[in-house]
Amino acid sequence: PATGPAAVPSQQQAGRRMSRKIGLGMITVAWLMLFLMAGIAIEEWLQQRQNPNRQPDSFVGESGERRVILRANRAHQYLSRAQINGHTVTLLVDTGATDVVLPETLAQRLQLPVGASAYAITANGRVRIQRTTLEEIRLGSIVLRHVKASINPGMADDTPVLLGMSALSAIELRQQNGELHLIQRPES
């Protein structure tokens, strides 16, 4: 090994090389963090476009009426986060569905009681379903109890729960300017 004045430049060069490697590593990490943050922001933006009601506007009026305002997504559908028996789900408002309809896998996770079998006519044709009752649906400030529902084994697990007329008949619906107002009047 060189000692004395000749060793000083090589030590300085080694120090510069190490500083350069550290600098390049820091720049690489910064770019990776930037791409990660951009990916997260894009995913959030896409989810907001698909379901603009992950936190729906909701309030209780002085007279006790409960109101939830849903905004239509790009497909002009009304999706929202809600809870069924305390579990968070995504609902799709479907006035053409007789019952609330949920996938079999979700019904199993929620440990719903399974009742009688029946047939239903859906957009995909005739399907065998099983009857059940949901103890509670919470959509913002609206709470519905003991709601009739159907378990559809043909629905994909990631399909939103269809909020059909077995639930919607208990509330008032008003649609205007891309918004759906759901109003639950106090019981007299």
Short mmCIF file of all heavy atoms in Angstrom, two decimals, residues 2 8-9 13 27 35 45 61-62 82 88 99 102 112 119 141 150 155 157 167 172 178 180 186 188:
data_model
loop_
_atom_site.label_atom_id
_atom_site.label_comp_id
_atom_site.label_asym_id
_atom_site.label_seq_id
_atom_site.Cartn_x
_atom_site.Cartn_y
_atom_site.Cartn_z
N ALA A 2 0.43 2.23 -0.73
CA ALA A 2 1.16 3.49 -0.82
C ALA A 2 0.92 4.29 0.44
O ALA A 2 -0.16 4.30 1.00
CB ALA A 2 0.71 4.27 -2.04
N VAL A 8 -2.65 10.14 -0.59
CA VAL A 8 -3.72 11.12 -0.36
C VAL A 8 -4.66 11.24 -1.56
O VAL A 8 -5.86 11.16 -1.40
CB VAL A 8 -3.13 12.48 0.06
CG1 VAL A 8 -4.21 13.54 0.14
CG2 VAL A 8 -2.39 12.35 1.37
N PRO A 9 -4.15 11.38 -2.82
CA PRO A 9 -5.09 11.47 -3.94
C PRO A 9 -5.95 10.22 -4.09
O PRO A 9 -7.12 10.31 -4.40
CB PRO A 9 -4.19 11.66 -5.16
CG PRO A 9 -2.94 12.25 -4.62
CD PRO A 9 -2.79 11.67 -3.24
N GLN A 13 -9.90 10.13 -4.12
CA GLN A 13 -10.66 9.55 -5.22
C GLN A 13 -11.66 8.51 -4.71
O GLN A 13 -12.81 8.46 -5.16
CB GLN A 13 -9.72 8.92 -6.25
CG GLN A 13 -8.92 9.94 -7.04
CD GLN A 13 -7.87 9.26 -7.91
OE1 GLN A 13 -7.62 8.07 -7.78
NE2 GLN A 13 -7.24 10.05 -8.78
N ILE A 27 -30.65 9.51 -5.36
CA ILE A 27 -31.45 9.94 -6.51
C ILE A 27 -32.37 8.80 -6.96
O ILE A 27 -33.55 9.02 -7.24
CB ILE A 27 -30.54 10.42 -7.66
CG1 ILE A 27 -29.89 11.75 -7.29
CG2 ILE A 27 -31.32 10.54 -8.97
CD1 ILE A 27 -28.80 12.20 -8.24
N PHE A 35 -42.37 7.76 -8.16
CA PHE A 35 -43.22 6.85 -8.93
C PHE A 35 -44.25 6.18 -8.04
O PHE A 35 -45.41 6.03 -8.42
CB PHE A 35 -42.39 5.80 -9.66
CG PHE A 35 -41.68 6.32 -10.88
CD1 PHE A 35 -40.32 6.10 -11.04
CD2 PHE A 35 -42.35 7.02 -11.86
CE1 PHE A 35 -39.66 6.58 -12.16
CE2 PHE A 35 -41.71 7.51 -12.98
CZ PHE A 35 -40.35 7.29 -13.13
N TRP A 45 -57.37 8.49 -7.59
CA TRP A 45 -58.17 9.24 -8.57
C TRP A 45 -59.12 8.30 -9.30
O TRP A 45 -60.30 8.60 -9.48
CB TRP A 45 -57.24 9.97 -9.53
CG TRP A 45 -57.92 10.71 -10.61
CD1 TRP A 45 -58.63 11.88 -10.52
CD2 TRP A 45 -57.97 10.34 -12.00
NE1 TRP A 45 -59.11 12.26 -11.74
CE2 TRP A 45 -58.72 11.34 -12.67
CE3 TRP A 45 -57.44 9.28 -12.71
CZ2 TRP A 45 -58.95 11.28 -14.04
CZ3 TRP A 45 -57.68 9.24 -14.08
CH2 TRP A 45 -58.42 10.23 -14.72
N GLY A 61 -81.68 15.80 9.85
CA GLY A 61 -82.35 17.08 9.95
C GLY A 61 -82.99 17.29 11.32
O GLY A 61 -83.09 16.36 12.13
N GLU A 62 -83.45 18.51 11.57
CA GLU A 62 -84.08 18.85 12.84
C GLU A 62 -85.33 18.00 13.10
O GLU A 62 -85.64 17.68 14.24
CB GLU A 62 -84.44 20.33 12.87
CG GLU A 62 -83.24 21.23 13.05
CD GLU A 62 -83.65 22.70 13.15
OE1 GLU A 62 -84.80 22.98 13.56
OE2 GLU A 62 -82.81 23.54 12.83
N ALA A 82 -70.92 1.34 2.46
CA ALA A 82 -71.95 1.17 3.49
C ALA A 82 -71.51 0.03 4.40
O ALA A 82 -70.44 -0.56 4.19
CB ALA A 82 -73.30 0.87 2.84
N THR A 88 -67.98 -3.46 6.20
CA THR A 88 -67.97 -2.48 5.11
C THR A 88 -68.10 -3.18 3.76
O THR A 88 -67.40 -4.16 3.48
CB THR A 88 -66.68 -1.65 5.16
OG1 THR A 88 -66.63 -0.98 6.42
CG2 THR A 88 -66.64 -0.61 4.04
N ASP A 99 -84.83 -7.48 -4.38
CA ASP A 99 -84.22 -7.56 -3.05
C ASP A 99 -82.84 -6.91 -3.07
O ASP A 99 -82.29 -6.60 -4.12
CB ASP A 99 -84.00 -9.03 -2.65
CG ASP A 99 -85.27 -9.77 -2.32
OD1 ASP A 99 -86.27 -9.11 -1.99
OD2 ASP A 99 -85.25 -11.02 -2.37
N LEU A 102 -76.58 -10.12 -2.75
CA LEU A 102 -75.15 -10.14 -2.48
C LEU A 102 -74.52 -11.45 -2.91
O LEU A 102 -75.20 -12.48 -2.98
CB LEU A 102 -74.88 -9.86 -1.00
CG LEU A 102 -75.53 -10.73 0.04
CD1 LEU A 102 -74.66 -10.75 1.28
CD2 LEU A 102 -76.86 -10.12 0.41
N LEU A 112 -74.23 -15.08 7.20
CA LEU A 112 -75.67 -14.83 7.11
C LEU A 112 -76.45 -16.15 7.19
O LEU A 112 -76.00 -17.17 6.65
CB LEU A 112 -76.01 -14.13 5.80
CG LEU A 112 -75.45 -12.73 5.62
CD1 LEU A 112 -75.81 -12.19 4.24
CD2 LEU A 112 -75.93 -11.79 6.71
N TYR A 119 -85.88 -19.12 -7.32
CA TYR A 119 -85.30 -18.70 -8.59
C TYR A 119 -85.58 -17.22 -8.79
O TYR A 119 -86.63 -16.72 -8.38
CB TYR A 119 -85.87 -19.51 -9.76
CG TYR A 119 -85.30 -20.90 -9.82
CD1 TYR A 119 -85.95 -21.96 -9.22
CD2 TYR A 119 -84.08 -21.13 -10.46
CE1 TYR A 119 -85.42 -23.24 -9.26
CE2 TYR A 119 -83.54 -22.40 -10.50
CZ TYR A 119 -84.20 -23.45 -9.90
OH TYR A 119 -83.66 -24.70 -9.93
N SER A 141 -76.12 8.22 7.38
CA SER A 141 -76.98 8.34 8.57
C SER A 141 -78.22 7.45 8.49
O SER A 141 -78.94 7.31 9.47
CB SER A 141 -77.40 9.79 8.76
OG SER A 141 -78.13 10.24 7.63
N SER A 150 -81.24 -11.56 -0.96
CA SER A 150 -81.02 -12.79 -1.70
C SER A 150 -79.52 -13.00 -1.86
O SER A 150 -78.77 -12.05 -2.10
CB SER A 150 -81.64 -12.69 -3.09
OG SER A 150 -83.04 -12.54 -2.99
N MET A 155 -72.79 -14.44 -8.51
CA MET A 155 -72.16 -13.11 -8.49
C MET A 155 -70.68 -13.24 -8.11
O MET A 155 -70.34 -13.97 -7.18
CB MET A 155 -72.84 -12.19 -7.47
CG MET A 155 -74.20 -11.69 -7.89
SD MET A 155 -75.02 -10.70 -6.59
CE MET A 155 -74.11 -9.16 -6.69
N ASP A 157 -67.17 -12.23 -6.46
CA ASP A 157 -66.90 -11.72 -5.12
C ASP A 157 -66.69 -10.21 -5.09
O ASP A 157 -67.05 -9.55 -4.13
CB ASP A 157 -65.66 -12.42 -4.54
CG ASP A 157 -65.45 -12.10 -3.08
OD1 ASP A 157 -66.45 -11.96 -2.35
OD2 ASP A 157 -64.28 -12.01 -2.66
N ALA A 167 -84.87 -2.83 0.34
CA ALA A 167 -84.32 -1.75 1.19
C ALA A 167 -84.82 -0.39 0.73
O ALA A 167 -85.22 0.44 1.54
CB ALA A 167 -82.79 -1.78 1.14
N GLU A 172 -87.21 7.36 0.73
CA GLU A 172 -87.64 8.18 -0.40
C GLU A 172 -86.42 8.46 -1.28
O GLU A 172 -85.33 8.74 -0.76
CB GLU A 172 -88.22 9.49 0.15
CG GLU A 172 -88.76 10.43 -0.87
CD GLU A 172 -89.30 11.70 -0.21
OE1 GLU A 172 -89.81 11.63 0.92
OE2 GLU A 172 -89.17 12.76 -0.85
N GLY A 178 -77.51 14.72 -11.43
CA GLY A 178 -76.43 13.77 -11.17
C GLY A 178 -76.28 13.39 -9.71
O GLY A 178 -75.27 12.81 -9.32
N LEU A 180 -78.37 11.60 -6.26
CA LEU A 180 -79.50 10.84 -5.76
C LEU A 180 -79.62 11.13 -4.26
O LEU A 180 -78.68 10.88 -3.50
CB LEU A 180 -79.30 9.35 -6.00
CG LEU A 180 -80.45 8.43 -5.55
CD1 LEU A 180 -81.73 8.74 -6.34
CD2 LEU A 180 -80.05 6.98 -5.70
N PRO A 186 -88.58 9.95 9.86
CA PRO A 186 -88.73 9.33 11.18
C PRO A 186 -90.05 8.58 11.26
O PRO A 186 -91.03 8.99 10.63
CB PRO A 186 -88.69 10.51 12.15
CG PRO A 186 -88.93 11.72 11.33
CD PRO A 186 -88.58 11.39 9.91
N SER A 188 -93.52 7.50 12.67
CA SER A 188 -94.51 8.26 13.45
C SER A 188 -94.99 7.46 14.63
O SER A 188 -95.09 6.31 14.66
CB SER A 188 -95.74 8.60 12.62
OG SER A 188 -95.43 8.85 11.30
#
